Amino acid sequence: MSYLIIDKVTKKFDGTVVLNEISLAVERGELVTLLGPSGCGKSTLLRCIAGLNEVDGGRILLNDRDITYLAPRKRGVGMVFQSYALFPNMTVYENIAFGLKMQGLKGGYIAARVKEMIDLVGLGGKEKSYPRELSGGQQQRVALARSMIVEPDVLLLDEPFNALDAKIRKMLQMELKNIQKKSGMTMIFVTHDQEEALTISDRIFVINEGRVAQSGKPLEIYSQPASEFVARFIGNFNVLKGEEFERLVGEPLISGKSLAIRPEVIKLSLNGENGKGHNGSWRIKGKVVSVFLKGNILRYRVRSKDCILDVDVLNNSLDCSLNYDTSVDLVIPKDEVKVLNL
Amino acid sequence: MRAKWAHISKNLWLTGALFPLAVMIFGFELLPIMGMLIDSFRTDDGNVWTLGQYITALKNPYYLVAIKNSLLISLLSSFIAIVVAAFVAYFITRLKPKSQEAVLTYVNLTANFAGVPLAFAYIIMLGNSGLFTILFQRWGLDIFSEFDLYSWSGLVLVYVYFQLPLAILLLYPIYFEIKEQWREAAHLLGASDMQFWLQVGLPVIMPGLVGTFSILFANAMGAYATAYALVGSNYNLLSVRIGALISGDVYARPHLASALAMLLALSLIAAMLTNEYMMRRIRRDLK
Ligand SMILES: Nc1ncnc2c1ncn2[C@@H]1O[C@H](COP(=O)(O)OP(=O)(O)OP(=O)(O)O)[C@@H](O)[C@H]1O
Ligand SMILES: [Mg+2]
């Protein structure tokens, strides 16, 4: 049996269904992410697991215990809030020590454990600072240490890095991953940033409208999206209707379903170069509509037979001088075209 | 250049806007206080510098008792009001927004109900021939036979009554300083409700409590009309004494009144400093 089981949990707010019989299972020691657009119910699910919201149906099992109706403090669930929620009247030390103090443990033991945690999250020297004297990143480390020190059975993190700038965010993602591996703690991480989810998770649950749209390892989700929603949400797939695609490649296809193509698998060349497409791919003509510079990648938006395709090209492989209206050839490998079932 | 001008004109504008306030503070606050301060060091005829007024104020048992009574009733009524208000205000914050508005409007109304009208209302209800006093007598209930509105406990009751709405209005907003997520975080870390309040809730609102207490204390120390209407000059209070010395029928001693008023002001300053000191001990995170 899995370590944490969410079994058909339903949650309504004033009659509006936010979680719709959602089910998922997490193994011990895993770091999974709940990924989904704003308002899809990620925070609500975390709050249900923590007991901060009551569920309207279903069961939650943690470590062989039914915790569905337990009080939050009896669940063995920790939580890191997006707003950190540090106690403003306490120092870093006191914040981190809080949980152990509530357990009535001895001062000497607490001191030793707090020191360990402070070292683990890299906050040495800040013990006596108050939260308002810390940067956002430092506050988030305190929040992490504060909830980890009581060794909860599962730690929930609700968009913990959202308020931080990109650089610190990347760094903390890596650190969190390391800390998680080192401690072996089971963690559920919520984000609406697909890149973040792909970077840190062992497994991803893509959530849409209060249900799991798809779950799997990051690479699986990224390369094999099961639905149009997932394809669009992850990795900026080009999603085309069956008819559109038939018009584009001039070949009838068996299924009438939608198709998804990742921008980076399409090869782009100037007209006439590189000869013809071969058996394994389609070759089509188009015109550049626009180009976006995305750091090491250039994203061309190409129009072909009234379809728009995004094509990612490494920033060094072509002249950036492919301006508006330049005619180009696109080569689409056949086996990179994913048929979507939903 | 243009930015600089904008800056200057903004400053000018601000100064202009603040000018009436400055005039008011100076004219209606500072000037009278200065005048009183000078007066308090003058003899009754106003001609010679002296410490005599203060010596009288602090040596004459009559005035000493007035000071003591005022301090006592102010501390006591502020304390009762703040404890009760702490609970009431908290429960108001737990109501639905619509009900909160209604309750606050009501509290606001009662907050303005003070002075002579309030005293009069109490006399009608609980005075010697007050409505409830007589009603309860008829019903054979003895609750008010011991109670004397014109006594110490009567005065405390009335003081608490006019302090309470003010306390509630002042305390109500400070509860919003407690973020819901602090409570949630504390619970998830194993804290009970009680532990949350002791460790986080109370320390967070402590500055507000302390500040409110100062205001209540000042409010009570300065209360004159209510006290006067209720107990006349039967009961010996500092504000009543000062009033009597200024407009006394027998004989006015405005210089002694000034000295007493300065002592009253001193007590307010002392209260503020004590509160400040206490707050800093409790909330070390606030410099
Ligand atoms: N306390 C509440 N009362 C009423 N509706 C709520 C409440 N909390 C959440 N909702 C609604 O439930 C839906 C899901 O909210 P939730 O916060 O779980 O979304 P989310 O996936 O965490 O989104 P985000 O990425 O923006 O944080 C939203 O439509 C929200 O308006
Ligand atoms: Mg959320």
Side-chain angles (χ1 to χ4, degrees), chain A residues 180-212:
Chain A
Q180 191 265 338
K181 284 284 160 280
K182 227 186 272 175
S183 64
M185 194 173 282
T186 312
M187 294 188 184
I188 304 184
F189 188 100
V190 159
T191 179
H192 58 237
D193 177 345
Q194 2 115 346
E195 206 178 306
E196 186 165 76
L198 293 169
T199 313
I200 65 169
S201 344
D202 294 321
R203 268 191 315 143
I204 297 177
F205 294 89
V206 183
I207 314 274
N208 188 27
E209 295 180 345
R211 289 177 149 259
V212 177

Side-chain angles (χ1 to χ4, degrees), chain A residues 47 50 52 73 77 79 81 83 85-90 94 99 101-102 130 132 146, chain B residues 181-182 184-192 195 199-200 203-204 283-287:
Chain A
R47 295 177 59 83
L52 301 174
R73 52 194 283 252
V77 173
M79 185 150 172
F81 296 86
S83 60
L86 297 179
F87 306 132
N89 57 317
M90 296 183 196
E94 291 163 339
K101 209 170 137 196
M102 290 304 107
Y130 286 95
R132 64 178 178 85
R146 184 180 67 174
Chain B
Q181 295 204 324
W182 293 338
E184 293 175 349
H187 285 328
L188 285 172
L189 290 167
S192 64
Q195 283 168 320
Q199 303 282 332
V200 185
V204 165
R283 283 295 294 279
R284 281 160 299 136
D285 58 311
L286 305 172
K287 271 191 300 191

